[in-house]
Amino acid sequence: MDSAKTPVKTTIKTRLLTAPEFQDLAAVPAEVEWFKNIDNDHTKRAYKKAIQDFMLFAGIDHPEKFRLITRAHVIAWRDDLNEQLTRKGKKLSKITVRHRLTALSALYNYLCDKNAVLHNPCKGVKRPTVIRNTGRTPAISDRQARGLLNAPVNDTLKAKRDRAILATLLYHGLRRTELCKLRVQDYRFQIEGVPHLLVEGKGNKERYVPLHEFAAELIDDYLDAATHGGDAAGALFRPLRNSRKGGNMEKAITPDGVYRLVQHYAATLGVSIKTHSLRATATTNALKHDADLARVQEWLGHANISTTRLYDKRDSDPKDSPTFKVSY
């Protein structure tokens, strides 16, 4: 959608739009408006890739041409996606094809709401069937989780910070982006005398998550060593100083920084996992200890309980398979 006309950037000298600025904004196509209104960076990247692929396939060089698309165009694109190869020479996965069709459908739902088109041409287009009762993200065992928490072994600032980060992820099931957004004041909320984390999730939705005592102790220990506990509006978890570049102790640690941190300590245990596995681990552990599924949904910030069910690994232990119940 790079070739589309986008809203102008107004100077912040005044709140009043100039006449040309007003006209330019009034002329922004609904297709561009939809894309500009997506605030989640991950979703935006995925949707942009999908829409650009469709534009290339259908020869769309201007946003208004989306309004000429029929169901036949979408079916032809779906069939092309099913035959498309990745860089590794493999066909696109069924999940990828579904996600691309979902992105295009989201655009047309918006256009329908704006009365820019009469119907969504993606409706009725059959999508690849993906049979999945549980999520693809593996959870680690309780023993491995304890090992991960104990992996930072000394009393340096880095070790204190890393222990606090790992505990916050493993005891609260946060996404890494949610952890990076935490401010010092966000772990000091009290609800009925119980400390809570104020978490900003997807779509800027906020939720309160009770703070685990063990994690709270580690965060306090880290803040005492880092000395930024008085900066209430500042980032809770921060990068360490870089002796060569000077570093910046005020900005938040990045999601990539959290990813590398988890990868490093997991490697010391001989485990290969992604950060999201800690979210799956926290969820599985809570459910194993009889946490209510609906409460877990709220805890994780899921809009749909079916998403929460994908994290439920309680019935996925191979040792419980009927295979091992067969005896001759």
Side-chain angles (χ1 to χ4, degrees):
M1 301 184 76
D2 294 338
S3 61
K5 189 176 182 181
T6 57
V8 296
K9 291 184 178 179
T10 59
T11 56
I12 314 299
K13 294 180 180 178
T14 174
R15 292 190 61 190
L16 299 177
L17 291 173
T18 64
E21 288 172 342
F22 181 89
Q23 291 299 326
D24 283 340
L25 290 171
V28 173
E31 291 82 355
V32 175
E33 184 180 272
W34 165 78
F35 186 74
K36 289 285 184 180
N37 205 33
I38 301 173
D39 55 9
N40 183 279
D41 291 337
H42 179 74
T43 302
K44 201 164 192 171
R45 285 194 298 270
Y47 278 19
K48 182 177 182 180
K49 187 172 184 178
I51 299 303
Q52 285 181 333
D53 186 272
F54 181 72
M55 291 175 70
L56 181 65
F57 173 80
I60 295 175
D61 55 6
H62 198 273
E64 278 81 356
K65 285 192 176 181
F66 278 102
R67 306 177 194 194
L68 303 177
I69 296 299
T70 67
R71 185 179 298 168
H73 293 110
V74 179
I75 291 173
W77 182 50
R78 178 206 62 194
D79 293 344
D80 181 74
L81 288 174
N82 285 330
E83 297 301 321
Q84 204 174 113
L85 300 179
T86 66
R87 292 179 181 178
K88 295 182 179 179
K90 297 180 180 180
K91 288 186 178 181
L92 292 181
S93 69
K94 291 181 178 181
I95 292 175
T96 299
V97 175
R98 285 183 66 90
H99 284 175
R100 298 217 176 157
L101 288 166
T102 297
L104 186 63
S105 183
L107 167 59
Y108 277 105
N109 283 336
Y110 185 83
L111 296 181
C112 287
D113 290 341
K114 292 293 182 180
N115 294 318
V117 297
L118 295 177
H119 69 284
N120 183 343
C122 298
K123 286 191 175 179
V125 175
K126 291 185 177 180
R127 305 180 188 185
T129 301
V130 178
I131 301 175
R132 195 172 77 190
N133 295 321
T134 60
R136 292 171 294 166
T137 305
I140 59 178
S141 68
D142 292 351
R143 178 183 59 81
Q144 290 171 322
R146 289 192 295 271
L148 201 58
L149 289 169
N150 293 325
V153 292
N154 52 44
D155 284 332
T156 63
L157 175 61
K158 182 181 187 317
K160 291 175 184 288
R161 184 204 63 177
D162 294 354
R163 277 195 293 268
I165 287 175
L166 291 169
T168 303
L169 292 170
L170 278 167
Y171 280 100
H172 306 96
L174 300 189
R175 303 175 178 95
R176 56 178 170 159
T177 53
E178 294 173 341
L179 179 134
C180 294
K181 290 180 181 179
L182 288 174
R183 299 165 297 173
V184 172
Q185 64 192 18
D186 292 337
Y187 99 106
R188 291 176 172 165
F189 281 90
Q190 294 272 340
I191 300 178
E192 296 184 0
V194 178
H196 281 66
L197 289 171
L198 174 58
V199 180
E200 182 183 329
K202 288 186 175 181
N204 299 322
K205 294 179 181 178
E206 294 183 342
R207 67 185 189 276
Y208 290 95
V209 177
L211 180 61
H212 196 282
E213 290 182 4
F214 180 70
E217 290 177 4
L218 293 179
I219 294 173
D220 286 337
D221 193 30
Y222 159 60
L223 287 180
D224 287 343
T227 70
H228 66 267
D231 183 12
L236 177 58
F237 296 113
R238 306 183 179 189
L240 302 173
R241 290 190 183 278
N242 185 314
S243 59
R244 290 177 297 174
K245 297 182 181 178
N248 187 337
M249 290 288 286
E250 297 179 358
K251 64 181 181 180
I253 189 173
T254 65
D256 284 344
V258 176
Y259 176 84
R260 290 192 296 271
L261 183 155
V262 172
Q263 290 275 292
H264 169 73
Y265 289 113
T268 64
L269 302 178
V271 180
S272 178
I273 56 171
K274 296 181 179 179
T275 312
H276 214 65
S277 288
L278 305 193
R279 182 168 163 88
T281 300
T283 306
T284 303
N285 190 284
L287 290 169
K288 278 183 177 179
H289 291 91
D290 301 321
D292 180 73
L293 187 64
R295 295 295 299 274
V296 173
Q297 176 194 357
E298 180 184 343
W299 185 59
L300 295 175
H302 284 156
N304 195 312
I305 200 168
S306 62
T307 306
T308 311
R309 288 195 180 98
L310 294 177
Y311 286 78
D312 190 353
K313 312 288 184 180
R314 289 175 294 179
D315 297 327
S316 62
D317 190 338
K319 296 190 296 295
D320 293 332
S321 169
T323 296
F324 303 108
K325 307 299 180 183
V326 177
S327 178
Y328 296 105

